[in-house]
């Protein structure tokens, strides 16, 4: 698996990754995380993803030259409590469902942990959807993250998780 920097032209492929994830979640009746509508065609989502490309924190995982996942690191979102120390924050993580079961998300999270270490930062945090059966929180825990703080945005339940490099 190769990880490269995000670049101009990647917004469409990242939108497609989110579309595949949303469709998969919706097929299981799990619409609480990202809803049931594709990200493609949503101007707000397009601007958000284009901003990630422009911000320099986007990385794309490729399997055999095919885009398989995306991680974005940078500053914490404004809806979470600031960390008491310097951190690297995972702003987004998504994998293309065509590559499910290949450890793409885990590989990207490990990249973030190594990136934090290389930058001399001792904390990596991520937030995620904490509703339904809690499977997403459990996934991050299986990747070495620990629960740090629950939060809500409106009715959306979230959990901040953290890991030390």
């Amino acid at each position: 698996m190769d990880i490269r920097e995000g670049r101009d032209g990647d917004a469409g492929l990242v939108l497609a990754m989110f579309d595949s994830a949303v469709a998969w979640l919706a097929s299981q009746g799990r619409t609480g995380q990202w809803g049931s509508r594709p990200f493609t065609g949503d101007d707000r989502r397009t601007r958000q993803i284009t901003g990630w490309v422009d911000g320099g924190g986007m990385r794309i995982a490729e399997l055999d030259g095919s885009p398989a996942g995306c991680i974005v690191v940078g500053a914490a979102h404004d809806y979470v409590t600031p960390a008491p120390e310097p951190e690297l924050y995972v702003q987004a993580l998504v994998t293309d469902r065509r590559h499910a079961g290949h450890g793409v998300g885990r590989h990207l999270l490990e990249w973030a942990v190594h990136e934090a270490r290389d930058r001399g930062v001792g904390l990596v945090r991520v937030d995620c959807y904490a509703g339904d059966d809690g499977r997403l929180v459990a996934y991050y825990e299986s990747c070495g993250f620990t629960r740090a703080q629950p939060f809500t945005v409106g009715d959306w339940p979230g959990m901040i998780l953290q890991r030390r490099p």
Side-chain angles (χ1 to χ4, degrees):
M1 186 174 314
D2 295 315
I3 297 178
R4 65 166 176 82
E5 288 189 37
R7 57 184 178 234
D8 288 341
D10 282 343
L13 68 91
V14 174
L15 285 165
M17 288 179 196
F18 277 104
D19 290 349
S20 76
V22 167
W24 178 75
L25 288 166
S27 74
Q28 297 184 21
R30 301 168 55 92
T31 59
Q33 182 176 344
W34 287 326
S36 59
R37 292 183 30 229
F39 280 32
T40 299
D42 182 320
D43 290 341
R44 182 181 69 83
R45 294 293 192 182
T46 300
R47 283 190 308 274
Q48 179 182 41
I49 292 169
T50 301
W52 292 338
V53 173
D54 295 343
M58 177 187 280
R59 298 296 182 274
I60 303 293
E62 296 180 332
L63 284 172
D64 300 322
S66 176
C70 173
I71 192 168
V72 182
V73 296
H77 296 296
D78 60 1
Y79 55 80
V80 300
T81 304
E85 64 186 272
E87 70 176 330
L88 186 64
Y89 200 89
V90 176
Q91 297 175 337
L93 176 69
V94 64
T95 59
D96 190 313
R97 291 304 303 166
R98 294 176 300 159
H99 299 286
H102 289 99
V104 175
R106 289 179 190 281
H107 196 79
L108 287 166
L109 289 169
E110 284 302 316
W111 171 86
V113 169
H114 289 282
E115 181 70 11
R117 185 179 304 123
D118 290 348
R119 294 182 185 189
V121 175
L123 181 65
V124 177
R125 291 196 311 162
V126 63
D127 70 81
C128 71
Y129 178 65
D132 296 326
D133 57 8
R135 283 175 53 186
L136 190 53
V137 172
Y139 169 77
Y140 283 106
E141 289 174 324
S142 76
C143 294
F145 287 79
T146 58
R147 295 173 194 224
Q149 180 182 14
F151 68 96
T152 57
V153 176
D155 293 332
W156 192 87
M159 177 65 67
I160 299 171
L161 296 104
Q162 65 186 27
R163 182 171 163 189
R164 299 233 173 241

